[in-house]
Amino acid sequence: MANAPSLVTKRDFHATRARLASPFHYPEGPRTNIPFNPLTKYFAFRYWAFMAVGFGLPFGIAVWQTKKNK
């Protein structure tokens, strides 16, 4: 078992290095993996409007379904 630590040090994690020349490499860092920009001026309003519509839509559909004529 004395060889186990030496095997780990020999690996050097060469397969996990970012390949910057690859066409599939995207920028890294905070806020780069989300499809919107939270630093815009009206982000908070748009966020809560989106959440309100997403939460209220099923209830609105249910009310519409129960009140429409058969």
Side-chain angles (χ1 to χ4, degrees):
M1 275 309 195
N3 288 341
S6 64
L7 290 175
V8 173
T9 58
K10 287 181 184 178
R11 184 172 168 198
D12 288 333
F13 297 104
H14 67 280
T16 58
R17 184 177 62 95
R19 289 170 172 76
L20 297 177
S22 171
F24 301 108
H25 182 75
Y26 298 100
E28 297 177 0
R31 295 182 299 275
T32 58
N33 61 343
I34 53 178
F36 50 84
N37 184 7
L39 301 179
T40 59
K41 186 176 182 180
Y42 298 108
F43 172 73
F45 173 74
R46 286 185 279 174
Y47 172 79
W48 286 110
F50 180 79
M51 293 296 155
V53 169
F55 182 79
L57 193 62
F59 294 103
I61 292 172
V63 169
W64 177 69
Q65 288 287 333
T66 56
K67 292 196 181 269
K68 74 176 184 177
N69 293 334
K70 294 183 178 181

